[in-house]
Amino acid sequence: RRFGEIAIMKNFITDQQLGNLIDLQKSEHLILAQALIDDGIMDMRQFEQEIQLYKTAYGLDDDQFEAIKNGDIKVIITAFLAFEKNGMSQFYIDFVTLFVKNIMRFVDRNIYVDRVEKVDKIIYSHFFKQTITGDKKIFTGYSADDPALLDIASQHAGEIFTEIGEYPLDSACEFLNLTNGLFVVNMSDMGSEMELSIQDYIPNISVAPNKAMYRIPIHISKGTIYLHIGEL
């Protein structure tokens, strides 16, 4: 059940208070508009034009735009990540959705996801990978800018790291294993049994995938995470 329904049942809040909270939750873009107008940066007509240009640029309909404003991660991922249409596209969307949710849950809520890119090389100083095996053999992995990497490791381990070293690298690698473990459990609940290889850290990786490989940049406060997924 929704949090608001439970809160009302337990007499924590009233129906009217819940309505007020929902109105506040949905009004952040209006607060932004008011700030832009008050500072003389643009008027309301210009603001509405920019919103429409944004929808057009990313091919968003009104329902998708509302979902994005309300933080619906699944809709955001589906709208922004145009994987090639094949039997794996929904699998990829589900995986990226879970990865982004875990970043928001364990690392940083202030994120935005960039457009998916098809890549023919993987070249990074630090890279974490793990294979998911089932009906298909799927490669998952990620790299990150050093500040973003340290942020992931610190948040996951529950202590502050200031330099790249063995312990933070292990922690960052375990974060991928955590996400993949949750994903495999979710797939099992839907009747698809999968197994995980042991997660691995690869320094100075430089490989050319044999099959389609996708990269999804995920920007957080401390830098950028580069998530990779594809078939092996």
Side-chain angles (χ1 to χ4, degrees):
R1 307 189 69 163
R2 291 183 179 274
F3 174 81
E5 296 175 31
I6 297 171
I8 291 172
M9 285 171 51
K10 293 183 176 291
N11 297 317
F12 294 151
I13 59 175
T14 65
D15 282 325
Q16 182 176 353
Q17 288 173 320
L18 176 62
N20 291 340
L21 289 171
I22 291 173
D23 287 342
L24 286 171
Q25 179 178 309
K26 292 182 177 180
S27 66
E28 290 181 356
H29 75 292
L30 296 178
I31 295 172
L32 171 63
Q34 191 61 55
L36 292 171
I37 292 167
D38 288 348
D39 289 348
I41 296 171
M42 61 177 62
D43 58 30
M44 181 56 77
R45 180 183 60 81
Q46 292 171 318
F47 181 80
E48 293 295 342
Q49 285 178 342
E50 290 299 325
I51 293 294
Q52 191 57 49
L53 286 171
Y54 177 81
K55 290 181 184 179
T56 301
Y58 288 98
L60 302 174
D61 59 30
D62 290 340
D63 290 340
Q64 288 174 320
F65 185 68
E66 286 299 317
I68 289 171
K69 287 195 300 181
N70 294 331
D72 189 325
I73 301 300
K74 184 66 173 287
V75 173
I76 292 171
I77 297 302
T78 303
F80 281 81
L81 301 187
F83 290 106
E84 292 176 317
K85 298 297 182 183
N86 55 43
M88 299 305 300
S89 57
Q90 189 57 53
F91 181 99
Y92 294 159
I93 287 170
D94 291 342
F95 178 83
V96 177
T97 299
L98 178 61
F99 188 90
V100 170
K101 283 182 177 179
N102 280 348
I103 290 292
M104 294 180 69
R105 179 182 178 188
F106 297 111
V107 182
D108 189 352
R109 293 194 60 83
N110 298 314
I111 75 167
Y112 72 93
V113 181
D114 230 328
R115 290 296 186 118
V116 63
E117 307 163 317
K118 193 172 181 179
V119 295
D120 54 14
K121 283 187 178 181
I122 300 176
I123 303 175
Y124 295 103
S125 299
H126 306 290
F127 195 78
F128 312 94
K129 75 175 184 70
Q130 191 169 36
T131 302
I132 302 174
T133 305
D135 294 336
K136 301 282 187 179
K137 196 172 183 181
I138 308 302
F139 175 92
T140 69
Y142 80 94
S143 183
D145 301 337
D146 282 6
L149 178 57
L150 288 169
D151 195 23
I152 293 170
S154 297
Q155 298 295 342
H156 183 65
E159 60 180 279
I160 298 175
F161 298 118
T162 58
E163 295 182 355
I164 301 293
E166 183 177 355
Y167 191 12
L169 289 172
D170 285 346
S171 178
C173 199
E174 184 57 36
F175 180 78
L176 178 63
N177 185 52
L178 166 70
T179 298
N180 283 343
L182 292 172
F183 184 75
V184 167
V185 170
N186 290 346
M187 295 302 292
S188 178
D189 290 342
M190 293 187 290
S192 181
E193 297 300 325
M194 296 181 164
E195 295 181 355
L196 293 177
S197 69
I198 297 174
Q199 71 273 23
D200 193 18
Y201 163 65
I202 306 175
N204 301 314
I205 188 173
S206 179
V207 298
N210 294 324
K211 295 187 178 181
M213 183 65 61
Y214 300 95
R215 182 174 78 169
I216 302 95
I218 302 168
H219 306 282
I220 64 175
S221 300
K222 298 290 180 67
T224 302
I225 302 163
Y226 300 96
L227 177 63
H228 291 69
I229 189 166
E231 286 189 76
L232 289 177

